[in-house]
Amino acid sequence: MRGPVGGRWELFGGLVRAAGRGDAVSRHELLSVRGRNVAWLVPLLMLTCIAVADVATDVFQIIAWTVLVPGVAAAICSVWSTAVFAMLSVVVYLLADMVWKHREETGLAGLMLVVLGGAIAVVAAGFRVGGERRMLHMRDIADTTRRTVLRPLPVGFGGMDHAAVYLAADSEARVGGDFYDIQPGPHGTRVLVGDVQGKGLGAVETAAALLGTFREAGYHEPDLATVAERLEIRMVRHRAHTAALGRSDGDRFATAVLIGFSPGLPDVVEAVVFGHEPPLAVGPRGVRVLPVVGGLPLGMAELAPTGRSGTPPVHRLRLAEDETLLLVTDGVTEARDPAGVFYRPADDIAPAVAADARSAAPTRLVSLVRDGTLRHCRGRVADDTTVFAVRRTSGGREPGADG
């Protein structure tokens, strides 16, 4: 259960992330009340205050400040709203200059300044809105790419209760080198979570290649070791292809964890670790690290000592039915606080599960780790971050052969 401090951190983190993105969606979120955009209230309040102050005081002439109103509107309002405030500024200026007449007239120079300022604000709003539309279009493309690489997983897919949180280090790209998937098949349900070295579109392309191979091999191959070998071969082939194209990212590798849930074995899982953080088992009895000996990352099997296979071994491990597997990428384990201390997810998970065993459920577990990571690094995500939790569904339904 989150305390008041955790709740405040979650709210603060959400505001920081929304304000920090600096895009149209963020401004809409921050300047909306119950889904209605109230950005126009800001320049309206400003114009009202200027008019009232000009009438109420004789110390200095403040009405010329109306030139600032359309400029503020240009930053947060639509083009039409900006044009309306530009005209309102001229009207208020003329009222003060010709109707109220509680001081000397400001003259034509002041009026021209307000008119010119309004015209410039309308043009600036047009450029801003056009740029935002292009940005939102690119964002839609990035979201489509993300859904293609990290396909949505149905509830209960493959007989698994699962949840995932993905935070891209590049908030504009919204997708990076982290990847995860669940693949049910006739030989059980397989799970893959990994992290491609590096960032950018090259990392996304590599992740897509590995996921494509996993979805086919994970369905057809009866042996998890064969699935692991297929992933290694795909990584080597992909590197050779990018190198042949003359690209500088032809030496990428990927860390990953491959998990197999076999039919008829409710308390056993198989695991292959390619240079990745080992999974955590989280349940009512606490948190434990699965005793897995990790091998080399995908794409580096050739560096294995002579006489040894470059593919990591398959480990058969005990996993209670009420335990959840937690898999994270280095965006979590390498998150640092201002003092440079690394984040340890178990420090947050253990007391939460001890206080409420329901915290081990995948949805609550990934939220707990996400909030802890953002709190620890003060919202500054330096690397792509994935938190993935999975366990067999209650009721013991066997993995299906669909998907």
Side-chain angles (χ1 to χ4, degrees):
M1 180 180 296
R2 289 197 307 269
V5 175
R8 286 195 298 269
W9 258 109
E10 183 176 356
L11 175 61
F12 174 75
L15 291 175
V16 167
R17 291 192 298 276
R21 289 197 304 267
D23 55 28
V25 174
S26 305
R27 279 191 292 274
H28 180 77
E29 293 172 354
L30 294 173
L31 296 170
S32 296
V33 176
R34 296 181 179 180
R36 295 180 178 274
N37 193 309
V38 295
W40 55 271
L41 286 175
V42 177
L44 179 62
L45 179 62
M46 184 178 180
L47 182 61
T48 302
C49 291
I50 291 173
V52 171
D54 185 75
V55 172
T57 180
D58 289 326
V59 178
F60 60 96
Q61 185 170 296
I62 197 175
I63 195 63
W65 288 16
T66 54
V67 71
L68 301 176
V69 174
V72 172
I76 59 177
C77 297
S78 66
V79 177
W80 284 108
S81 295
T82 303
V84 169
F85 280 108
M87 291 186 290
L88 284 176
S89 298
V90 173
V91 170
V92 170
Y93 183 89
L94 290 173
L95 286 173
D97 206 35
M98 300 173 62
V99 178
W100 298 330
K101 292 186 176 180
H102 63 287
R103 61 167 61 87
E104 294 182 1
E105 295 182 0
T106 56
L108 183 61
L111 176 61
M112 293 303 297
L113 177 64
V114 175
V115 172
L116 181 61
I120 293 174
V122 172
V123 174
F127 278 107
R128 193 208 86 227
V129 171
E132 287 179 350
R133 287 174 179 169
R134 290 190 294 272
M135 181 274 295
L136 290 174
H137 178 65
M138 295 303 297
R139 183 169 180 165
D140 288 341
I141 293 175
D143 283 339
T144 302
T145 302
R146 179 176 176 177
R147 288 192 298 270
T148 301
V149 177
L150 302 178
R151 62 179 179 176
L153 300 175
V155 175
F157 191 49
M160 297 290 115
D161 184 10
H162 59 84
V165 169
Y166 178 81
L167 302 174
D170 185 348
S171 61
E172 297 299 325
R174 300 174 62 81
V175 66
D178 285 6
F179 56 92
Y180 58 85
D181 200 8
I182 296 175
Q183 181 56 58
H187 310 291
T189 296
R190 276 71 185 264
V191 175
L192 179 67
V193 176
D195 179 11
V196 176
Q197 175 264 332
K199 298 181 178 67
L201 293 178
V204 177
E205 181 183 0
T206 303
L210 290 173
L211 285 173
T213 297
F214 167 71
R215 289 162 186 164
E216 290 302 310
Y219 180 89
H220 291 287
E221 298 295 345
D223 188 358
L224 195 67
T226 304
V227 179
E229 291 173 1
R230 292 277 299 275
L231 289 171
E232 171 65 27
I233 293 171
R234 186 67 183 95
M235 187 69 203
V236 173
R237 289 174 55 204
H238 181 73
R239 288 174 54 180
H241 178 258
T242 54
L245 292 174
R247 287 167 37 181
S248 59
D249 60 347
D251 58 348
R252 290 186 187 274
F253 59 87
T255 63
V257 178
L258 177 63
I259 303 291
F261 293 87
S262 299
L265 298 175
D267 58 349
V268 173
V269 294
E270 293 181 320
V272 181
V273 177
F274 296 91
H276 199 85
E277 291 287 332
L280 295 177
V282 182
R285 290 165 297 281
V287 183
R288 61 188 179 93
V289 180
L290 294 185
V292 181
V293 178
L296 294 170
L298 289 166
M300 303 184 70
E302 60 186 18
L303 300 180
T306 304
R308 292 179 55 185
S309 171
T311 304
V314 177
H315 297 268
R316 176 166 286 194
L317 308 166
R318 305 289 296 183
L319 184 72
E321 289 188 78
D322 58 359
E323 286 187 310
T324 299
L325 277 183
L326 175 67
L327 302 104
V328 300
T329 59
D330 55 11
V332 174
T333 56
E334 295 182 5
R336 303 190 187 199
D337 64 11
V341 178
F342 290 108
Y343 176 59
R344 297 179 60 184
D347 292 344
D348 283 338
I349 298 172
V353 174
D356 186 355
R358 292 175 298 178
S359 296
T363 301
R364 296 181 64 171
L365 186 58
V366 297
S367 297
L368 177 68
V369 176
R370 176 202 61 197
D371 294 344
T373 303
L374 292 173
R375 181 172 59 249
H376 188 80
C377 67
R378 305 300 191 268
R380 298 181 178 90
V381 179
D383 199 358
D384 295 333
T385 301
T386 295
V387 185
F388 189 87
V390 61
R391 69 181 179 187
R392 291 182 174 91
T393 55
S394 57
R397 181 168 65 86
E398 292 294 347
D402 55 338

